[in-house]
Amino acid sequence: MEKELLPKVAHYDMMADPFRCDFSKHLTVGQLGNALLNAADFHSDDREFGMNYLHTIHRTWVLSRLCIELEAMPRAYDPFFIETWCDSAMKYFTSRNFKIGSPTGSVYGYGRSIWAMIDTEMRQPADILAIHDGLLTAYLDRDYPCPIASPSRVKLGDRLELVRELDTFYSDVDINGHINSVKYIDHVLDLWPLSWYESHRLRRIDVAYVAESYQGDLLRLYRQPLSDDGLAFGVSVCKVREGEEQREVCRCELRFE
Amino acid sequence: MEKELLPKVAHYDMMADPFRCDFSKHLTVGQLGNALLNAADFHSDDREFGMNYLHTIHRTWVLSRLCIELEAMPRAYDPFFIETWCDSAMKYFTSRNFKIGSPTGSVYGYGRSIWAMIDTEMRQPADILAIHDGLLTAYLDRDYPCPIASPSRVKLGDRLELVRELDTFYSDVDINGHINSVKYIDHVLDLWPLSWYESHRLRRIDVAYVAESYQGDLLRLYRQPLSDDGLAFGVSVCKVREGEEQREVCRCELRFE
């Protein structure tokens, strides 16, 4: 018996809870990032290719790239929604888009992401199109607009400067057992003090995830300016584990305004 | 024209979003703590004595004590609810209780808290009963059960040992402009490694808040055992600011099982 398909684009109503907001009374980028990951998981879980199902066949999704571009941020108590959908799928990668909007019709911003699937026992890439006979392809929506550039590969130059070392703790780890993808974004945004955010707003962030890190790893954050106007930066996050060589875990490109 | 009163006990339906869960696939204590603060604010905001209104008359709520006692934690994707109500109010303090339950009828746990109101310009205690002619007293429910002990004053002995120093960053600061009350709980729980949480669960935490800290303050965490079974601990969190004497910001008592 064939099951009826759900809509390709999923819509989740949310609210900017006051205790998920920063000093400026706007939702934080980290909380929005976690809301995007939750929306991605709800969308795929409802459609039978979420972590819940994948864990039963020792597979899981791995975030490879993420970019978020924001015109504005919901203020405390503002209702907002996240829409998410997949717009392409290949054997080893699928791309998923996000729209962050207000019930009044305005748009806060958009996101784009690229995901791989891995076999959690072999730690090897797994075939996305083998899941439920390629069910994901029935859910692709190539027409729903996402008017922002694709996530950058984030090429950093040679002017990187070590700006912070961080230990990793229990609260950095998420449901997958490794440091949460969005926690890196929190740590990177924390490179600027509160006073910076009194006069600057993050307009766009691109993150390229390279490796996973685990509780106990030491993180080293390297930063470099990427523009002459002092508003664009690159950050490389590396992990140091005893007895191993230092290794990059992710690279970010940030544009403030 | 008299407005009709809302129910004394407010009920908020929530869900354990997977990316607010820890490696064990249970909601984290920090995320639950933030959900309690949000519920407290929704309850008081809907009843016209929340931060939203208080900020217009340069007043705000200040959390003075908090305890949470947990039989269990919601698992990822589990729906749960928070009920909250005030059960006493005096000129300078009000007490607010929490019930954390499941739609199936089971109870995850309870919380109790004590709040003061301050004048944000004078930094002095403000009269709670002066707000809307003592409106809060019309909302007291002394009968709704909250079967856990009141928040402890948290008396720590002289065996405290400095176990960690932490810088404070943009992401530690909440909508009130100072370090978020629940962030201290995150930092305290991070004193134990992931491996501790593989075999231990927090059963109860009591926090006594003494002073506020701000982004840029250095935090020093001191810990001492409080029982012979190795499951109860006291933690004192102190702030160090340039040119000032070290000062305690909060004290916690934790009981694991």
Side-chain angles (χ1 to χ4, degrees):
Chain A
M1 200 170 74
E2 289 237 345
K3 276 174 90 169
E4 217 175 313
L5 291 179
L6 295 173
K8 292 173 178 176
V9 179
H11 178 106
Y12 301 101
D13 289 311
M14 314 220 169
M15 182 190 162
D17 294 332
F19 285 95
R20 303 198 198 281
C21 291
D22 71 5
F23 75 98
S24 76
K25 304 194 196 321
H26 291 86
L27 191 67
T28 68
V29 174
Q31 292 288 352
L32 175 65
N34 257 348
L36 297 180
L37 294 189
N38 279 318
D41 186 61
F42 296 152
H43 173 274
S44 54
D45 190 52
D46 288 344
R47 287 158 185 77
E48 298 178 62
F49 46 85
M51 286 189 301
N52 241 349
Y53 166 69
L54 292 179
H55 285 180
T56 65
I57 55 167
H58 51 89
R59 278 166 175 66
T60 198
W61 289 110
V62 174
L63 183 56
S64 170
R65 301 235 198 113
L66 174 67
C67 67
I68 311 172
E69 193 167 320
L70 297 161
E71 292 295 325
M73 265 296 206
R75 281 183 67 88
Y77 306 102
D78 282 350
F80 69 99
F81 65 77
I82 292 176
E83 287 176 341
T84 183
W85 67 101
C86 296
D87 74 341
S88 79
M90 292 181 297
K91 187 168 179 182
Y92 291 129
F93 290 101
T94 176
S95 57
R96 167 182 291 284
N97 299 337
F98 301 96
K99 176 180 178 178
I100 307 131
S102 148
T104 63
S106 65
V107 176
Y108 293 110
Y110 292 91
R112 286 182 175 268
S113 60
I114 298 175
W115 300 74
M117 188 178 287
I118 58 159
D119 183 311
T120 52
E121 288 177 354
M122 315 287 286
R123 308 305 296 176
Q124 292 290 325
D127 183 354
I128 293 170
L129 303 179
I131 304 300
H132 299 311
D133 296 322
L135 175 66
L136 200 151
T137 57
Y139 279 113
L140 299 180
D141 189 323
R142 293 182 173 89
D143 301 319
Y144 203 69
C146 189
I148 64 167
S150 294
S152 155
R153 289 183 55 200
V154 188
K155 292 201 171 180
L156 301 177
D158 52 5
R159 289 193 296 155
L160 284 164
E161 189 190 342
L162 177 63
V163 283
R164 186 165 292 155
E165 285 194 347
L166 284 171
D167 289 311
T168 51
F169 301 115
Y170 161 73
S171 67
D172 288 312
V173 175
D174 72 14
I175 193 167
N176 289 309
H178 40 70
I179 308 300
N180 175 7
S181 314
V182 168
K183 269 285 179 168
Y184 297 117
I185 298 179
D186 279 333
H187 291 321
V188 167
L189 293 177
D190 277 346
L191 290 178
W192 288 267
L194 197 71
S195 53
W196 170 268
Y197 292 101
E198 284 167 1
S199 52
H200 296 85
R201 193 180 72 76
L202 184 72
R203 172 156 184 87
R204 178 171 168 120
I205 183 168
D206 290 80
V207 193
Y209 295 93
V210 183
E212 285 157 8
S213 70
Y214 296 86
Q215 193 265 308
D217 290 351
L218 176 75
L219 298 181
R220 286 199 180 129
L221 279 68
Y222 298 82
R223 182 171 57 182
Q224 71 173 59
L226 289 182
S227 68
D228 291 331
D229 62 4
L231 294 172
F233 297 89
V235 177
S236 166
V237 181
C238 296
K239 67 174 172 181
V240 185
R241 192 180 303 173
E242 224 182 284
E244 291 184 20
E245 273 192 56
Q246 177 167 319
R247 198 171 159 203
E248 187 170 58
V249 290
C250 69
R251 285 190 300 277
C252 308
E253 202 176 311
L254 303 99
R255 158 64 59 181
F256 293 97
E257 65 177 18
Chain B
M1 199 170 76
E2 290 236 344
K3 277 175 87 171
E4 218 176 311
L5 291 179
L6 295 172
K8 292 174 178 175
V9 179
H11 179 105
Y12 302 101
D13 289 312
M14 313 216 171
M15 181 187 162
D17 294 331
F19 285 95
R20 302 196 199 284
C21 291
D22 71 5
F23 75 97
S24 76
K25 303 192 196 324
H26 291 85
L27 191 66
T28 68
V29 174
Q31 292 289 352
L32 176 65
N34 258 348
L36 297 180
L37 294 189
N38 279 319
D41 186 61
F42 296 151
H43 173 274
S44 54
D45 190 52
D46 289 343
R47 286 157 186 76
E48 298 178 63
F49 46 85
M51 286 188 300
N52 240 349
Y53 166 68
L54 292 179
H55 286 179
T56 66
I57 55 166
H58 51 89
R59 278 168 174 67
T60 198
W61 289 111
V62 174
L63 183 56
S64 170
R65 303 236 197 110
L66 173 67
C67 67
I68 310 173
E69 194 168 319
L70 297 161
E71 292 295 326
M73 263 299 202
R75 282 181 67 87
Y77 307 100
D78 281 351
F80 69 100
F81 66 77
I82 293 177
E83 288 176 340
T84 183
W85 67 100
C86 295
D87 74 340
S88 80
M90 290 181 299
K91 188 169 179 181
Y92 292 129
F93 289 101
T94 179
S95 57
R96 166 181 293 284
N97 299 337
F98 301 96
K99 176 180 178 178
I100 306 130
S102 149
T104 62
S106 65
V107 176
Y108 293 111
Y110 292 91
R112 286 182 176 269
S113 59
I114 298 175
W115 299 73
M117 187 177 289
I118 58 158
D119 183 312
T120 51
E121 287 178 355
M122 315 287 285
R123 307 306 296 177
Q124 293 290 326
D127 183 354
I128 293 170
L129 304 179
I131 303 301
H132 299 310
D133 295 322
L135 175 67
L136 201 151
T137 58
Y139 279 113
L140 298 180
D141 190 322
R142 294 183 172 87
D143 301 320
Y144 203 70
C146 188
I148 64 167
S150 296
S152 157
R153 290 183 52 202
V154 188
K155 292 198 172 183
L156 302 178
D158 52 6
R159 289 194 295 154
L160 284 165
E161 189 191 342
L162 177 64
V163 283
R164 187 164 294 157
E165 285 193 346
L166 283 171
D167 288 310
T168 50
F169 301 115
Y170 161 73
S171 67
D172 288 313
V173 175
D174 71 12
I175 193 168
N176 289 308
H178 39 71
I179 307 300
N180 174 8
S181 313
V182 168
K183 269 285 178 167
Y184 298 116
I185 298 179
D186 279 332
H187 291 320
V188 166
L189 294 176
D190 277 345
L191 290 177
W192 288 267
L194 198 71
S195 53
W196 171 267
Y197 293 102
E198 283 168 2
S199 52
H200 297 84
R201 192 180 72 78
L202 184 71
R203 172 157 184 86
R204 178 173 168 116
I205 183 167
D206 290 78
V207 192
Y209 295 94
V210 183
E212 285 155 8
S213 69
Y214 296 86
Q215 192 264 309
D217 291 351
L218 177 75
L219 298 181
R220 287 201 177 126
L221 279 68
Y222 298 83
R223 181 170 59 182
Q224 70 171 58
L226 289 181
S227 69
D228 291 333
D229 61 6
L231 293 173
F233 298 89
V235 177
S236 167
V237 181
C238 296
K239 67 174 171 181
V240 186
R241 193 179 304 172
E242 221 180 288
E244 290 183 22
E245 274 192 54
Q246 176 167 320
R247 201 174 155 198
E248 187 169 58
V249 291
C250 71
R251 289 189 298 277
C252 308
E253 204 176 308
L254 302 101
R255 158 66 58 184
F256 292 96
E257 66 177 18

